[in-house]
Amino acid sequence: MVTTRSSAGCSGNLLTKRRTGEKRSQLPKTVKTLSKDNGTGVDANMNGFSVFFHPDRTGKPAYDYTTTTVPDYLRRKFIHSMYRAHLDLGQCARSIFAMHNETFDIWSHGIAAIIFIFLAVYAPLYMIEHFHAPAIVFCLSHAFVFSVSFFAHTFNPISEPCHVKCFQLDWSAISFAMIGCGTAVICYCFFCDE
């Protein structure tokens, strides 16, 4: 069994097990280049982030993988079927309208992002002027978090490096929600009428 290591960044080393009998020359280009890139995640033949959006074609693109057939990096505890794997950007975008194990995550985060953008525009119209800025910061920070999470859940099955980067961005975006909450709490708690 051949095991290759990818550059997983801050989240540690992820190992992907390949099928028995595969030789290194049979592995997809992204896996070979990621194992030789000295941890940068960028291949000399590919520019910037394009390596992360190059689909892992070690299997057939589908929405019906099970825990026994899905790549290790996509496997989740207590989820036994309906995994998406080996998709490209277009297939991931189309999967928004298909049933799979992340359908609820995609839709709940996408709808929440739209609601917070709507609130950022219309809520200040019905508030005291002093509260406009904190309300807008709060709503936009949460819209940003939900938009990034929508993106992460939609496009993570492209490849292992893309999966890692999507969720690093998703978890990092939570700090923006903290800033929005902190700003609102400080402005509302220490409001003075004078």
Side-chain angles (χ1 to χ4, degrees):
M1 183 173 290
V2 177
T3 304
T4 58
R5 177 182 275 166
S6 73
S7 60
C10 298
S11 67
N13 293 328
L14 293 178
L15 297 176
T16 304
K17 296 178 183 173
R18 299 290 169 207
R19 290 176 289 215
T20 307
E22 275 188 322
K23 295 192 174 18
R24 188 162 180 79
S25 62
Q26 294 172 324
L27 294 174
K29 183 178 180 183
T30 53
V31 175
K32 284 196 276 187
T33 57
L34 285 173
S35 62
K36 295 189 289 185
D37 67 356
N38 298 326
T40 61
V42 179
D43 177 25
N45 300 327
M46 304 178 95
N47 53 4
F49 278 107
S50 63
V51 71
F52 298 111
F53 297 113
H54 189 270
D56 176 15
R57 291 296 187 200
T58 57
K60 183 185 88 158
Y63 305 158
D64 60 352
Y65 280 90
T66 64
T67 53
T68 58
T69 58
V70 74
D72 290 340
Y73 67 91
L74 291 172
R75 193 169 295 139
R76 296 288 175 258
K77 194 175 185 179
F78 305 118
I79 299 176
H80 302 290
S81 62
M82 301 299 287
Y83 285 95
R84 297 174 299 152
H86 312 296
L87 306 178
D88 61 22
L89 282 171
Q91 291 166 330
C92 285
R94 286 189 297 276
S95 75
I96 293 170
F97 305 103
M99 288 301 295
H100 48 79
N101 67 347
E102 290 191 286
T103 302
F104 180 77
D105 295 329
I106 291 170
W107 279 93
S108 62
H109 291 91
I111 291 170
I114 292 167
I115 289 171
F116 275 107
I117 291 169
F118 177 81
L119 288 174
V121 173
Y122 289 105
L125 299 176
Y126 302 101
M127 301 177 81
I128 299 170
E129 186 176 336
H130 176 76
F131 295 131
H132 287 186
I136 292 170
V137 169
F138 177 83
C139 290
L140 289 180
S141 66
H142 282 74
F144 177 74
V145 170
F146 284 115
S147 298
V148 170
S149 190
F150 170 81
F151 176 84
H153 285 286
T154 302
F155 296 105
N156 78 78
I158 293 176
S159 65
E160 185 174 5
C162 183
H163 176 82
V164 170
K165 289 297 175 192
C166 281
F167 285 108
Q168 284 175 343
L169 290 172
D170 188 21
W171 299 325
S172 299
I174 294 170
S175 61
F176 285 96
M178 301 286 188
I179 292 169
C181 288
T183 302
V185 167
I186 290 169
C187 290
Y188 293 147
C189 290
F190 298 108
F191 175 70
C192 183
D193 284 333
E194 297 176 15

